[in-house]
Amino acid sequence: MADLPFLGAGVSFRPAWRWEVIRHRGELGAVECIPEDVVGPAAERDLTLVRDAVPVLLHGIGLSLGSAEGLDPERVRHVARLAEAVSPPWFSEHIAFTRAGGVEIGHLTPLPFTREAVATVARNVAELRRALPGLPILLENIAYPFVLPGAEMTEAEFVRAVVEEADAGLLLDLENVHANARNHGYDATAYLESLPLERVGEVHLAGGVVHDGQYVDSHTRPVPEESWALLEWLAPRTPVRAVIIERDDDLPPFEDLLAEVARARKILDGPR
Amino acid sequence: MDLADLQRRLAAGLTGRGPGPEGVDPGALERARRGLESKRRRAAAHLLPRLRAALGAGWKDRFAEHAERYTPSGLLYHVDDAWELAETLARSPDREIVQAARDDLVSLRLRWVRGREAGAGRLRERKGFLIARMRRPVRLVLIRLPGGRVWRLKV
């Protein structure tokens, strides 16, 4: 991961922010875009305008790398085309699946912590690499609302096994770690200590809400202090190249996000 | 149960298309299903502001009926979802709802073209001309030019 370029801190991209991003390019290390939201030449043109000001990371949500049924070739082609257009330093996706049996779930859904699931992700990542030759791939841990039956290992062992067998980097979503620790009753720092921290290339931070008694990683609130504490613990222990502040809804003034970006950058610039 | 079978059952349980897999807490699965429906509903509200306003307190229930019947697909998943809902409500017996649906559909059609077949590429960017009318909040004729610029003429 230390071979990847150091970008610092940035935000998840929303098209409505493109002029703010360009205006504040000196304060942003990168923006992260969801390729599934960029459809058509006009949207691609807008994104390349942004790319000329700030590095653009591509973060997929719909490839369904955990699908036993394999990848959708049309979605893979879409990602490959966009990667060629914006030249990201790496591509990221999730340790999850999003469709099965012709049904789109519309959300990142957990995998069982099994050898079969590890092998499935590794196989799909190998197929993805053929479409993205030479582009490093990072895989993100997800928040899970329930544990699937038949677990053969712990979640941390599962994430380690996946990234090692897929030979991928790790995009560590600290808000997902925070959510899972709260909802499933484990210590977040102990969880992080079990991961292959030398593979962490990127970190996500976001804020969530409590709903129906569960903490939900909704990306609708400022980053909570618990997640900032996890970043402060993590930063000196990993070669992390970028931290992205994710905000999807209840959008605040852009300056509020820039303040979170600045805080993340300060942590990254601390002793490492 | 192999992984493929587990995933099919989980997809069915999370979208209300069938029972979830054995061994998954039914309460947790139902909470997750409601959470996904809520996420779809919020996204649709952004894309269909006139319908959201016209339906008022009835929005949540109408969306729940739609979610029970339809599972969206494709790269622009939420746009597909909103489009299907608007087309359904454009056939409503309530004139206010019909007009709101038609106006919201014009907004969607200015940006995208929706094909007949479900799949990753069902929605694609509109490229050519489009002339359409909108009634709310004011009566407009909209002319979309190739390249995306839209002229709005009050009538």
Side-chain angles (χ1 to χ4, degrees):
Chain A
M1 293 300 109
D3 292 341
L4 299 181
F6 180 76
L7 301 178
V11 294
S12 53
F13 179 70
R14 308 205 63 80
W17 288 341
R18 68 182 178 282
W19 298 118
E20 294 279 14
V21 165
I22 291 171
R23 200 150 55 95
H24 292 283
R25 59 189 177 277
E27 297 161 73
L28 291 165
V31 293
E32 186 169 84
C33 172
I34 293 174
E36 288 80 2
D37 289 344
V38 184
V39 174
E44 287 185 23
R45 242 187 342 263
D46 274 355
L47 195 59
T48 53
L49 259 181
V50 171
R51 187 277 320 271
D52 290 344
V54 176
V56 169
L57 297 172
L58 290 182
H59 183 57
I61 60 168
L63 286 181
S64 199
L65 291 181
S67 269
E69 296 169 355
L71 302 182
D72 178 339
E74 195 168 353
R75 287 177 179 267
V76 173
R77 278 194 295 274
H78 176 75
V79 164
R81 196 169 51 242
L82 211 51
E84 195 169 347
V86 301
S87 304
W90 61 81
F91 175 75
S92 58
E93 246 285 6
H94 298 79
I95 303 172
F97 81 107
T98 57
R99 70 182 64 83
V103 175
E104 286 283 344
I105 301 169
H107 194 72
L108 302 160
T109 303
L111 301 172
F113 303 150
T114 63
R115 290 292 326 157
E116 187 185 5
V118 169
T120 298
V121 176
R123 187 174 61 242
N124 288 332
V125 168
E127 183 182 336
L128 179 62
R129 282 193 200 285
R130 288 192 281 278
L132 303 174
L135 190 60
I137 292 176
L138 273 60
L139 302 176
E140 179 180 342
N141 57 303
I142 68 165
Y144 51 97
F146 43 77
V147 179
L148 293 173
E152 297 163 359
M153 58 190 91
T154 65
E155 183 200 344
E157 287 167 341
F158 176 69
V159 169
R160 174 185 285 275
V162 165
V163 295
E164 286 177 354
E165 193 151 324
D167 194 21
L170 185 54
L171 192 170
L172 199 46
D173 189 307
L174 292 179
E175 182 63 356
N176 288 343
V177 173
H178 169 225
N180 289 337
R182 274 180 72 151
N183 294 333
H184 301 291
Y186 61 73
D187 181 77
T189 307
Y191 171 84
L192 292 178
E193 284 172 337
S194 309
L195 294 177
L197 297 180
E198 73 282 2
R199 287 186 181 259
V200 175
E202 185 183 338
V203 165
H204 277 177
L205 290 172
V209 293
V210 176
H211 183 70
D212 259 350
Q214 293 285 296
Y215 187 85
V216 177
D217 175 36
S218 60
H219 296 186
T220 56
R221 292 289 182 272
V223 179
E225 286 306 315
E226 294 92 333
S227 294
W228 285 118
L230 290 176
L231 181 64
E232 284 173 2
W233 183 92
L234 185 75
R237 294 172 169 82
T238 69
V240 60
R241 309 279 91 192
V243 175
I244 295 293
I245 308 294
E246 295 186 290
R247 192 67 176 254
D248 293 347
D249 211 342
D250 289 343
L251 302 181
F254 198 70
E255 286 67 29
D256 291 6
L257 292 171
L258 290 176
E260 291 191 312
V261 168
R263 185 174 177 180
R265 181 62 196 248
K266 193 170 174 192
I267 294 170
L268 289 180
D269 287 344
R272 297 179 77 206
Chain B
M1 193 187 322
D2 67 9
L3 183 61
D5 196 34
L6 174 69
Q7 289 180 338
R8 278 191 294 272
R9 291 181 192 215
L10 202 42
L14 284 169
T15 56
R17 298 267 170 296
E22 279 182 26
V24 177
D25 173 12
L29 191 69
E30 174 56 18
R31 273 196 302 276
R33 189 202 64 75
R34 284 201 307 268
L36 294 184
E37 186 179 301
S38 171
K39 180 179 167 185
R40 285 175 62 183
R41 188 172 62 244
R42 276 196 312 276
H46 284 309
L47 291 163
L48 305 173
R50 296 167 190 83
L51 266 174
R52 172 67 185 90
L55 284 165
W59 165 254
K60 191 173 175 182
D61 287 344
R62 292 308 292 271
F63 191 88
E65 286 166 17
H66 159 76
E68 203 172 332
R69 182 186 63 82
Y70 186 71
T71 305
S73 64
L75 287 166
L76 292 168
Y77 175 90
H78 291 299
V79 178
D80 181 58
D81 202 13
W83 199 303
E84 180 72 17
L85 173 60
E87 285 192 339
T88 301
L89 292 177
R91 298 188 288 270
S92 166
D94 184 318
R95 282 179 56 188
E96 288 290 314
I97 303 297
V98 169
Q99 195 52 62
R102 286 178 179 169
D103 285 349
D104 277 338
L105 279 168
V106 168
S107 290
L108 297 179
R109 287 183 180 130
L110 285 173
R111 290 192 63 186
W112 295 290
V113 175
R114 187 184 189 222
R116 288 181 192 278
E117 301 290 328
R122 184 174 192 180
L123 279 154
R124 56 183 199 286
E125 189 183 82
R126 182 174 290 281
K127 289 185 185 167
F129 277 105
L130 177 74
I131 300 177
R133 283 187 312 175
M134 208 180 248
R135 301 234 170 129
R136 307 282 164 81
V138 294
R139 287 175 181 267
L140 295 173
V141 168
L142 298 112
I143 303 171
R144 185 199 185 276
L145 305 175
R149 182 169 285 193
V150 177
W151 291 348
R152 289 170 171 79
L153 306 172
K154 274 192 192 174
V155 292

